[in-house]
Amino acid sequence: MRRITGKAKDETLIELQSATDPHTADDHSGNGVSLSERVTLPGHAETDKLQPNKDTVFFRDGVRRIDFVLSYVDDKDGEKKQERRERRREFEANLEKVGLELETEDKSDSKDQKTYFLKIHAPWDVLATYADILKIKVPFKQSDIPHSQDVPLDWLSRPFRLPEHIMRPQLDYFTYPFDKAKTDFFLINDKDTFFPPSTRNRIVFYILARCPYYKEGRKDKDKTGIKRLLSNGTYTSAFPLHDCRYWKRARNAECESERFNLYKHWARFLCFYKEQPLNLIRKYYGEKIGIYFAWLGFYTEMLFFAAVMGLICFTYGVLSYDDNISSKEICDANIGGSIVMCPLCDKKCPFWKLNSTCLSSWQSHLFDNEGTVFFAIFMGIWVTLFLEFWKRRQARLEYEWDLVDFEEEQQQLQIRPEFEIQCTNRRLNKITQEMEPYLPVTSKCARFCLSAATVVFWISLIVACIIGVIAYRLAVYAAFASIIKDPMRKIQVVGRFITPQLATSVTASCINFVIIMILNFFYERVAVWITDMEIPKTHLEYENRLTMKMFLFQFVNYYSSCFYVAFFKGKFVGFPGKYSYMFGTGSNLRNEECDPGGCLIELTTQLVIVMAGKQLWGNIQEALLPLMRNWWSSRKGRHHPENHYSRWEQDHVLQNFSQLGLFYEYLEMVVQFGFITLFVASFPLAPLLALFNNILEIRVDAWKFTTQFRRPVASKARNIGAWQEILNAVAILSVVTNAFIMAFTSDMIPRMVYLYAISEGTSMRGYVNNSLSIYNISQIPDNNMPEADHYWFDNTTATCRYRDYRYPPGHEKAYAHTMQYWHILAAKMAFIIIMEHVVFVVKFFVAWMIPDVPSDVKARIKRERYLIQEYLHNYEVERLKLQLSASFITEPSSETSPMTDKHEVLSECL
């Protein structure tokens, strides 16, 4: 094969000027065109227009489309330079043997004067061969099933719609896996455009990933694939081209300018209220990325209902502010001001008055009220509706995007090249009766044990860090208590608004967030390493294994601190004279109590800091940093790159979209999903924060894909994979966690027991006094008593109060739990059982009522399968008739007649 290589700019200009002769001949019979033949291309009439600004997606002949681009630079080291040059020579020779056509751009034509670009074109024969191998579905008949009819009040949705040509960039067809032997069965009008660019680059990448770069006759099986060549520096990058600049349409009418349409109608933030052009996203980026944005958009739409309900519950807490009798009693100088509370820590903490927590009690009421119970039940049902309706939406996309039978057909075709290279053992496949690579059981077990040990070690490291943060909370609480409550300090004004518990909780949450980010940085690399070590067989298996490892780690990393505050803090405190200590009495680290306003407000603080901090940090990484890079690039004078850079150079400077790029996007959203479901009872505004974040997230992700990333290689996926099972598990766990939060973290159950079983006249008056137990100050051990300079300013009081239900001093069961404690505990357990059963019954009933696949989609799938069988039968019958009639015709003049009319006959038949 002859390849075109780039030349100096003066030679190029001379050839462009001499290429205008309309009588020159075009040589399309060869796979390449030499430099001397370049002036003979009549297609240069168009190339003259494209070449000056270098913004083209075609070879120099202006006809053959660039399906993939490889870049490389020459090394200064002579030995390494020769070795890499030899690899490239063998690799490119093998690509040519497959049938790909290559064209090289010399480094003298690149802006940096050191980068070579190898452009790759797949001709029809290669595309047809591998489309047959990959069983790519292509159209054979235009769909006769009409789109859904207009719904009532359709005019309300018009402001949110996009133009029809953007929402449906191509007609609907019935499709069937491509068969090279039956090309006349399919609707092939133009072979150059029959396979869209996304399918073309997928086929070329499939070839690149499996093409060897060892000499013929040698058996260096590990020397295979573009990924290995990228890792060893032979090539610096490999990517398909965007079809145009994102802010301007392509000048060539043959370019689809889909990138421009995506940016104009999807990636700009001003389009945040518009629907997403999912069909165009799928057509340009492939089904896998299309499924992600479909899921993210649907999740955001469903968040709207949860956010509205959460806002209503929060509004109820605000409006019922003045009806909160408990807070009024705490703030009352005659009630809360007369109650002396026991010290909250040893030595450094003084006795204190209950009314000092007035503000904290009001804040707690905003989230800990009767509406929170209703919201927790609502979210348990909401998450079920979200998952069930997403299954229906996903089933519709599977049909519309030809993914119904994808997984079953493509499982073997998705075998990772790394598995084929590293697994040298072969065995017979009982189904295909062909030899295939496999990993021995002993090696598989050893790798699994090492992987499991690594995961356990890192999870243990997270637990150790959490214990360290808890120890920090216990150690610094006394310091905050002595500083904030000391009247001699000048920060006393701040102390009125910030309790020692709140100060400790906020600082500990910030430290915990920093630790989370640091551990994430390291574990992401460890997770990829151990998953590579396991050598999964298929891409799907690789992603599922990595997904489970990463989410397990993220679950412990992000949620462990919230679990501690919700279910452990303040539950194992003890009582004055018999306090519990974290590492025993010798450690002096007394288990911390909840904020005087209740444990729920601390859980709210923890949730807001970790959740909002993660979202803020993620948006800074995804949006602000690329914007700063763009600003810096513009300062260098790259305002109009199309005037200075070729299309491949413009894409070369963009960020590479890695194979795991989409994985991290899913992970970010699923972690957020956990925050708004597992602990939503403590913060009803969490769905509202998530909604605002996701509206921004969709447009930021869209902006990144269209402007910051190279065009990803199109890949297929019929669903969101292992994330679906993770979401189901989180949904079930969320019912349990919210029931326990309402029972044990919130004060709702003790208030209800007091209101309906103890109070007179069903009033909350006296609840504060009832919820506090009495302890004799003289019985407090010396190691629990405040130091002299932190002692209570009035020694006239003989008792102090603490949060618990215990008998007072002098009682025959002094300091033992009262019957009210056991009644409240029984009420809490009953509430958990009732809430869980009610929510689970509703969940399973809703799941049973809503079918996973819509009835109209089932009908369309059946009709398409029926048409495929009917058309294939008619096709084979007519093909047999043509063969039989041709065998009986002996006249030479009539021998070509059946072949001439063959396609017309088949068309009439179809």
Side-chain angles (χ1 to χ4, degrees), residues 121-166:
H121 168 77
W124 169 258
D125 286 342
V126 175
L127 294 173
T129 299
Y130 281 90
D132 194 351
I133 294 174
L134 296 173
K135 303 299 180 186
I136 294 175
K137 289 188 175 183
V138 294
F140 68 91
K141 181 184 183 300
Q142 186 171 343
S143 175
D144 57 0
I145 301 177
H147 296 299
S148 57
Q149 301 296 324
D150 293 338
V151 295
L153 302 178
D154 186 53
W155 57 272
L156 288 175
S157 63
R158 288 177 186 172
F160 308 102
R161 290 184 186 173
L162 292 175
E164 185 66 18
H165 73 280
I166 299 297

CSV table of all heavy atoms in Angstrom, one decimal, residues 121-166:
chain,number,residue,atom,x,y,z
A,121,HIS,N,-8.3,5.5,7.6
A,121,HIS,CA,-9.7,5.4,7.0
A,121,HIS,C,-10.0,3.9,6.7
A,121,HIS,O,-9.2,3.1,6.3
A,121,HIS,CB,-9.6,6.1,5.6
A,121,HIS,CG,-10.8,5.8,4.7
A,121,HIS,ND1,-12.0,6.4,4.9
A,121,HIS,CD2,-11.0,5.0,3.6
A,121,HIS,CE1,-12.9,6.0,4.0
A,121,HIS,NE2,-12.3,5.1,3.2
A,122,ALA,N,-11.2,3.6,7.1
A,122,ALA,CA,-11.7,2.2,6.9
A,122,ALA,C,-12.6,2.2,5.6
A,122,ALA,O,-13.7,2.8,5.6
A,122,ALA,CB,-12.5,1.7,8.1
A,123,PRO,N,-12.2,1.5,4.6
A,123,PRO,CA,-13.0,1.4,3.3
A,123,PRO,C,-14.2,0.5,3.6
A,123,PRO,O,-14.3,-0.2,4.6
A,123,PRO,CB,-12.0,0.8,2.3
A,123,PRO,CG,-11.0,0.1,3.1
A,123,PRO,CD,-10.9,0.8,4.4
A,124,TRP,N,-15.0,0.4,2.6
A,124,TRP,CA,-16.3,-0.3,2.7
A,124,TRP,C,-16.1,-1.8,3.0
A,124,TRP,O,-16.7,-2.4,3.9
A,124,TRP,CB,-17.1,-0.2,1.4
A,124,TRP,CG,-18.3,-1.2,1.4
A,124,TRP,CD1,-18.4,-2.3,0.7
A,124,TRP,CD2,-19.5,-1.1,2.1
A,124,TRP,NE1,-19.6,-3.0,0.9
A,124,TRP,CE2,-20.3,-2.2,1.8
A,124,TRP,CE3,-20.0,-0.1,3.0
A,124,TRP,CZ2,-21.5,-2.4,2.3
A,124,TRP,CZ3,-21.3,-0.3,3.5
A,124,TRP,CH2,-22.0,-1.5,3.2
A,125,ASP,N,-15.1,-2.5,2.4
A,125,ASP,CA,-14.9,-3.9,2.6
A,125,ASP,C,-14.5,-4.2,4.1
A,125,ASP,O,-15.0,-5.1,4.7
A,125,ASP,CB,-13.8,-4.4,1.7
A,125,ASP,CG,-14.2,-4.5,0.3
A,125,ASP,OD1,-15.5,-4.6,0.1
A,125,ASP,OD2,-13.4,-4.6,-0.6
A,126,VAL,N,-13.7,-3.3,4.7
A,126,VAL,CA,-13.3,-3.5,6.1
A,126,VAL,C,-14.5,-3.3,7.0
A,126,VAL,O,-14.8,-4.1,7.9
A,126,VAL,CB,-12.2,-2.6,6.4
A,126,VAL,CG1,-11.9,-2.7,7.9
A,126,VAL,CG2,-10.9,-2.9,5.6
A,127,LEU,N,-15.3,-2.2,6.7
A,127,LEU,CA,-16.4,-1.9,7.5
A,127,LEU,C,-17.5,-3.0,7.4
A,127,LEU,O,-18.0,-3.5,8.5
A,127,LEU,CB,-17.1,-0.6,7.1
A,127,LEU,CG,-16.3,0.7,7.3
A,127,LEU,CD1,-16.9,1.9,6.7
A,127,LEU,CD2,-16.1,0.9,8.8
A,128,ALA,N,-17.7,-3.5,6.2
A,128,ALA,CA,-18.7,-4.6,6.0
A,128,ALA,C,-18.3,-5.9,6.8
A,128,ALA,O,-19.1,-6.6,7.4
A,128,ALA,CB,-18.9,-4.9,4.6
A,129,THR,N,-17.0,-6.2,6.6
A,129,THR,CA,-16.5,-7.4,7.3
A,129,THR,C,-16.6,-7.4,8.8
A,129,THR,O,-17.1,-8.3,9.4
A,129,THR,CB,-15.0,-7.6,6.9
A,129,THR,OG1,-14.8,-7.8,5.5
A,129,THR,CG2,-14.4,-8.9,7.6
A,130,TYR,N,-16.2,-6.3,9.4
A,130,TYR,CA,-16.3,-6.2,10.8
A,130,TYR,C,-17.7,-5.9,11.4
A,130,TYR,O,-18.0,-6.2,12.5
A,130,TYR,CB,-15.2,-5.2,11.3
A,130,TYR,CG,-13.8,-5.8,11.3
A,130,TYR,CD1,-13.0,-5.7,10.2
A,130,TYR,CD2,-13.4,-6.5,12.4
A,130,TYR,CE1,-11.7,-6.2,10.2
A,130,TYR,CE2,-12.1,-7.1,12.4
A,130,TYR,CZ,-11.3,-6.9,11.3
A,130,TYR,OH,-10.0,-7.5,11.3
A,131,ALA,N,-18.5,-5.3,10.6
A,131,ALA,CA,-19.9,-5.1,11.0
A,131,ALA,C,-20.6,-6.5,11.0
A,131,ALA,O,-21.4,-6.7,11.9
A,131,ALA,CB,-20.6,-4.2,10.0
A,132,ASP,N,-20.2,-7.4,10.1
A,132,ASP,CA,-20.7,-8.7,10.2
A,132,ASP,C,-20.2,-9.5,11.4
A,132,ASP,O,-20.9,-10.2,12.1
A,132,ASP,CB,-20.2,-9.5,8.9
A,132,ASP,CG,-21.0,-10.8,8.7
A,132,ASP,OD1,-21.7,-11.2,9.6
A,132,ASP,OD2,-20.9,-11.4,7.6
A,133,ILE,N,-18.9,-9.3,11.7
A,133,ILE,CA,-18.3,-10.0,12.9
A,133,ILE,C,-18.9,-9.5,14.2
A,133,ILE,O,-19.3,-10.2,15.1
A,133,ILE,CB,-16.8,-9.7,12.9
A,133,ILE,CG1,-16.1,-10.4,11.7
A,133,ILE,CG2,-16.2,-10.2,14.2
A,133,ILE,CD1,-14.6,-10.2,11.6
A,134,LEU,N,-19.1,-8.1,14.3
A,134,LEU,CA,-19.6,-7.5,15.5
A,134,LEU,C,-21.1,-7.6,15.6
A,134,LEU,O,-21.7,-7.1,16.5
A,134,LEU,CB,-19.1,-6.1,15.6
A,134,LEU,CG,-17.6,-5.9,15.8
A,134,LEU,CD1,-17.3,-4.4,15.7
A,134,LEU,CD2,-17.2,-6.5,17.1
A,135,LYS,N,-21.8,-8.1,14.5
A,135,LYS,CA,-23.2,-8.2,14.5
A,135,LYS,C,-23.9,-6.8,14.7
A,135,LYS,O,-24.9,-6.7,15.5
A,135,LYS,CB,-23.8,-9.2,15.5
A,135,LYS,CG,-23.2,-10.6,15.3
A,135,LYS,CD,-23.5,-11.2,14.0
A,135,LYS,CE,-23.0,-12.6,13.8
A,135,LYS,NZ,-23.2,-13.1,12.5
A,136,ILE,N,-23.4,-5.8,14.1
A,136,ILE,CA,-24.0,-4.5,14.2
A,136,ILE,C,-25.3,-4.4,13.5
A,136,ILE,O,-25.4,-4.8,12.3
A,136,ILE,CB,-23.0,-3.4,13.6
A,136,ILE,CG1,-21.7,-3.4,14.5
A,136,ILE,CG2,-23.6,-2.0,13.6
A,136,ILE,CD1,-20.6,-2.5,13.9
A,137,LYS,N,-26.3,-3.9,14.2
A,137,LYS,CA,-27.6,-3.8,13.6
A,137,LYS,C,-27.7,-2.6,12.6
A,137,LYS,O,-27.3,-1.5,13.0
A,137,LYS,CB,-28.7,-3.7,14.7
A,137,LYS,CG,-28.9,-5.0,15.4
A,137,LYS,CD,-30.1,-4.9,16.4
A,137,LYS,CE,-30.3,-6.2,17.1
A,137,LYS,NZ,-31.5,-6.2,17.9
A,138,VAL,N,-28.3,-2.8,11.5
A,138,VAL,CA,-28.4,-1.8,10.4
A,138,VAL,C,-29.9,-1.8,9.9
A,138,VAL,O,-30.5,-2.9,10.0
A,138,VAL,CB,-27.4,-2.0,9.3
A,138,VAL,CG1,-26.0,-1.7,9.8
A,138,VAL,CG2,-27.5,-3.3,8.7
A,139,PRO,N,-30.4,-0.8,9.3
A,139,PRO,CA,-31.8,-0.7,8.8
A,139,PRO,C,-32.0,-1.6,7.6
A,139,PRO,O,-31.2,-1.7,6.7
A,139,PRO,CB,-32.0,0.8,8.5
A,139,PRO,CG,-30.6,1.3,8.3
A,139,PRO,CD,-29.7,0.5,9.1
A,140,PHE,N,-33.2,-2.2,7.6
A,140,PHE,CA,-33.6,-3.0,6.4
A,140,PHE,C,-35.0,-2.5,5.9
A,140,PHE,O,-35.4,-2.8,4.8
A,140,PHE,CB,-33.6,-4.5,6.6
A,140,PHE,CG,-34.7,-5.0,7.6
A,140,PHE,CD1,-35.9,-5.3,7.1
A,140,PHE,CD2,-34.4,-5.0,8.9
A,140,PHE,CE1,-36.9,-5.8,8.0
A,140,PHE,CE2,-35.4,-5.5,9.8
A,140,PHE,CZ,-36.6,-5.9,9.3
A,141,LYS,N,-35.7,-1.7,6.7
A,141,LYS,CA,-37.0,-1.2,6.4
A,141,LYS,C,-37.3,-0.1,7.3
A,141,LYS,O,-37.1,-0.1,8.5
A,141,LYS,CB,-38.1,-2.3,6.5
A,141,LYS,CG,-39.5,-1.9,6.0
A,141,LYS,CD,-40.5,-3.0,6.3
A,141,LYS,CE,-41.9,-2.5,5.8
A,141,LYS,NZ,-42.4,-1.3,6.5
A,142,GLN,N,-37.9,1.0,6.7
A,142,GLN,CA,-38.3,2.1,7.5
A,142,GLN,C,-39.5,1.7,8.4
A,142,GLN,O,-40.4,1.0,8.0
A,142,GLN,CB,-38.7,3.3,6.6
A,142,GLN,CG,-39.1,4.5,7.4
A,142,GLN,CD,-39.2,5.8,6.5
A,142,GLN,OE1,-38.9,5.7,5.3
A,142,GLN,NE2,-39.8,6.8,7.0
A,143,SER,N,-39.5,2.2,9.6
A,143,SER,CA,-40.5,1.8,10.6
A,143,SER,C,-41.9,2.3,10.2
A,143,SER,O,-42.0,3.5,9.7
A,143,SER,CB,-40.1,2.3,12.0
A,143,SER,OG,-41.2,2.1,12.9
A,144,ASP,N,-42.9,1.5,10.3
A,144,ASP,CA,-44.3,1.9,10.0
A,144,ASP,C,-45.1,2.2,11.2
A,144,ASP,O,-46.3,2.3,11.2
A,144,ASP,CB,-44.9,0.9,9.1
A,144,ASP,CG,-45.0,-0.5,9.7
A,144,ASP,OD1,-44.5,-0.6,10.9
A,144,ASP,OD2,-45.5,-1.4,9.1
A,145,ILE,N,-44.4,2.2,12.4
A,145,ILE,CA,-45.1,2.4,13.7
A,145,ILE,C,-45.1,3.9,14.0
A,145,ILE,O,-44.0,4.5,14.1
A,145,ILE,CB,-44.5,1.6,14.8
A,145,ILE,CG1,-44.5,0.1,14.5
A,145,ILE,CG2,-45.2,1.9,16.1
A,145,ILE,CD1,-43.8,-0.8,15.5
A,146,PRO,N,-46.2,4.5,14.1
A,146,PRO,CA,-46.2,6.0,14.3
A,146,PRO,C,-45.7,6.3,15.7
A,146,PRO,O,-45.8,5.5,16.6
A,146,PRO,CB,-47.7,6.4,14.2
A,146,PRO,CG,-48.4,5.1,14.5
A,146,PRO,CD,-47.6,4.0,14.0
A,147,HIS,N,-45.2,7.6,15.8
A,147,HIS,CA,-44.8,8.0,17.2
A,147,HIS,C,-46.0,8.3,18.0
A,147,HIS,O,-47.2,8.3,17.6
A,147,HIS,CB,-44.0,9.3,17.0
A,147,HIS,CG,-42.7,9.2,16.3
A,147,HIS,ND1,-41.7,8.3,16.7
A,147,HIS,CD2,-42.3,9.7,15.1
A,147,HIS,CE1,-40.7,8.4,15.9
A,147,HIS,NE2,-41.0,9.2,14.9
A,148,SER,N,-45.8,8.4,19.3
A,148,SER,CA,-46.9,8.7,20.2
A,148,SER,C,-47.7,9.9,19.9
A,148,SER,O,-47.1,10.9,19.4
A,148,SER,CB,-46.3,8.8,21.7
A,148,SER,OG,-45.4,9.8,21.7
A,149,GLN,N,-49.0,9.8,20.1
A,149,GLN,CA,-49.9,10.9,19.7
A,149,GLN,C,-49.7,12.1,20.7
A,149,GLN,O,-49.2,11.9,21.8
A,149,GLN,CB,-51.3,10.4,19.7
A,149,GLN,CG,-51.6,9.3,18.8
A,149,GLN,CD,-51.3,9.7,17.3
A,149,GLN,OE1,-51.7,10.9,16.9
A,149,GLN,NE2,-50.8,8.8,16.5
A,150,ASP,N,-50.1,13.3,20.3
A,150,ASP,CA,-50.1,14.4,21.2
A,150,ASP,C,-50.9,14.2,22.4
A,150,ASP,O,-52.0,13.7,22.3
A,150,ASP,CB,-50.5,15.7,20.4
A,150,ASP,CG,-49.6,16.1,19.3
A,150,ASP,OD1,-48.4,15.6,19.4
A,150,ASP,OD2,-50.0,16.8,18.4
A,151,VAL,N,-50.4,14.6,23.5
A,151,VAL,CA,-51.1,14.5,24.8
A,151,VAL,C,-51.9,15.7,25.1
A,151,VAL,O,-51.5,16.8,24.6
A,151,VAL,CB,-50.1,14.1,25.9
A,151,VAL,CG1,-49.5,12.8,25.7
A,151,VAL,CG2,-49.1,15.2,26.1
A,152,PRO,N,-52.9,15.7,26.0
A,152,PRO,CA,-53.6,16.9,26.4
A,152,PRO,C,-52.7,17.9,27.0
A,152,PRO,O,-51.7,17.5,27.7
A,152,PRO,CB,-54.7,16.4,27.3
A,152,PRO,CG,-54.8,14.9,27.0
A,152,PRO,CD,-53.5,14.5,26.5
A,153,LEU,N,-53.0,19.2,26.9
A,153,LEU,CA,-52.2,20.3,27.4
A,153,LEU,C,-50.7,20.2,26.9
A,153,LEU,O,-49.8,20.5,27.6
A,153,LEU,CB,-52.2,20.2,29.0
A,153,LEU,CG,-53.6,20.3,29.6
A,153,LEU,CD1,-53.4,20.3,31.1
A,153,LEU,CD2,-54.2,21.6,29.2
A,154,ASP,N,-50.6,19.8,25.7
A,154,ASP,CA,-49.3,19.6,25.1
A,154,ASP,C,-48.5,21.0,25.0
A,154,ASP,O,-47.3,21.0,25.0
A,154,ASP,CB,-49.4,19.0,23.7
A,154,ASP,CG,-48.1,18.7,23.0
A,154,ASP,OD1,-47.3,18.0,23.7
A,154,ASP,OD2,-47.8,19.1,21.9
A,155,TRP,N,-49.3,22.0,24.9
A,155,TRP,CA,-48.7,23.4,24.8
A,155,TRP,C,-47.9,23.8,26.0
A,155,TRP,O,-46.9,24.6,25.9
A,155,TRP,CB,-49.8,24.4,24.5
A,155,TRP,CG,-50.8,24.4,25.6
A,155,TRP,CD1,-51.9,23.7,25.7
A,155,TRP,CD2,-50.8,25.3,26.8
A,155,TRP,NE1,-52.6,24.0,26.9
A,155,TRP,CE2,-52.0,24.9,27.6
A,155,TRP,CE3,-49.9,26.2,27.3
A,155,TRP,CZ2,-52.3,25.6,28.8
A,155,TRP,CZ3,-50.2,26.8,28.5
A,155,TRP,CH2,-51.4,26.5,29.2
A,156,LEU,N,-48.1,23.1,27.1
A,156,LEU,CA,-47.4,23.5,28.3
A,156,LEU,C,-45.9,23.0,28.2
A,156,LEU,O,-45.0,23.6,28.8
A,156,LEU,CB,-48.0,22.8,29.6
A,156,LEU,CG,-49.4,23.3,30.0
A,156,LEU,CD1,-49.9,22.5,31.2
A,156,LEU,CD2,-49.2,24.8,30.5
A,157,SER,N,-45.6,22.0,27.5
A,157,SER,CA,-44.3,21.5,27.3
A,157,SER,C,-43.5,22.1,26.2
A,157,SER,O,-42.3,21.8,26.1
A,157,SER,CB,-44.3,20.0,27.2
A,157,SER,OG,-45.0,19.6,26.0
A,158,ARG,N,-44.1,22.9,25.4
A,158,ARG,CA,-43.4,23.5,24.2
A,158,ARG,C,-42.2,24.3,24.6
A,158,ARG,O,-41.2,24.3,23.9
A,158,ARG,CB,-44.4,24.4,23.4
A,158,ARG,CG,-45.4,23.5,22.7
A,158,ARG,CD,-46.4,24.4,21.9
A,158,ARG,NE,-47.5,23.6,21.3
A,158,ARG,CZ,-48.5,24.1,20.7
A,158,ARG,NH1,-48.7,25.4,20.7
A,158,ARG,NH2,-49.4,23.2,20.2
A,159,PRO,N,-42.2,25.1,25.7
A,159,PRO,CA,-41.0,25.9,26.0
A,159,PRO,C,-39.8,25.0,26.4
A,159,PRO,O,-38.7,25.5,26.3
A,159,PRO,CB,-41.4,26.7,27.2
A,159,PRO,CG,-42.9,26.8,27.2
A,159,PRO,CD,-43.3,25.5,26.6
A,160,PHE,N,-40.1,23.8,26.8
A,160,PHE,CA,-39.0,22.9,27.2
A,160,PHE,C,-38.5,22.0,26.0
A,160,PHE,O,-37.6,21.2,26.2
A,160,PHE,CB,-39.4,22.0,28.3
A,160,PHE,CG,-40.0,22.8,29.5
A,160,PHE,CD1,-41.4,22.8,29.6
A,160,PHE,CD2,-39.2,23.5,30.4
A,160,PHE,CE1,-42.0,23.6,30.7
A,160,PHE,CE2,-39.8,24.2,31.4
A,160,PHE,CZ,-41.2,24.2,31.6
A,161,ARG,N,-39.1,22.1,24.9
A,161,ARG,CA,-38.7,21.2,23.8
A,161,ARG,C,-37.6,21.8,22.9
A,161,ARG,O,-37.4,23.0,22.9
A,161,ARG,CB,-40.0,21.0,22.9
A,161,ARG,CG,-41.0,20.1,23.5
A,161,ARG,CD,-42.1,19.9,22.5
A,161,ARG,NE,-43.3,19.2,23.1
A,161,ARG,CZ,-44.4,19.0,22.4
A,161,ARG,NH1,-44.5,19.4,21.2
A,161,ARG,NH2,-45.4,18.3,23.0
A,162,LEU,N,-37.0,20.9,22.2
A,162,LEU,CA,-36.0,21.2,21.2
A,162,LEU,C,-36.6,21.0,19.8
A,162,LEU,O,-37.6,20.2,19.6
A,162,LEU,CB,-34.7,20.4,21.4
A,162,LEU,CG,-33.9,20.6,22.6
A,162,LEU,CD1,-32.8,19.6,22.8
A,162,LEU,CD2,-33.4,22.1,22.7
A,163,PRO,N,-36.0,21.6,18.7
A,163,PRO,CA,-36.5,21.3,17.4
A,163,PRO,C,-36.5,19.8,17.0
A,163,PRO,O,-35.7,19.0,17.5
A,163,PRO,CB,-35.5,22.1,16.5
A,163,PRO,CG,-34.9,23.1,17.4
A,163,PRO,CD,-34.9,22.5,18.8
A,164,GLU,N,-37.4,19.5,16.2
A,164,GLU,CA,-37.6,18.1,15.8
A,164,GLU,C,-36.4,17.4,15.2
A,164,GLU,O,-36.1,16.3,15.5
A,164,GLU,CB,-38.8,17.9,14.9
A,164,GLU,CG,-39.2,16.5,14.6
A,164,GLU,CD,-39.8,15.7,15.8
A,164,GLU,OE1,-40.2,16.4,16.8
A,164,GLU,OE2,-39.8,14.5,15.7
A,165,HIS,N,-35.7,18.2,14.4
A,165,HIS,CA,-34.5,17.6,13.7
A,165,HIS,C,-33.3,17.4,14.7
A,165,HIS,O,-32.4,16.6,14.4
A,165,HIS,CB,-34.0,18.5,12.6
A,165,HIS,CG,-33.4,19.8,13.0
A,165,HIS,ND1,-34.1,20.9,13.4
A,165,HIS,CD2,-32.1,20.1,13.1
A,165,HIS,CE1,-33.3,21.9,13.8
A,165,HIS,NE2,-32.0,21.5,13.6
A,166,ILE,N,-33.4,18.0,15.9
A,166,ILE,CA,-32.4,17.8,16.9
A,166,ILE,C,-32.8,16.6,17.7
A,166,ILE,O,-32.0,15.8,18.1
A,166,ILE,CB,-32.2,19.1,17.8
A,166,ILE,CG1,-31.8,20.3,16.9
A,166,ILE,CG2,-31.3,18.8,18.9
A,166,ILE,CD1,-30.4,20.1,16.3
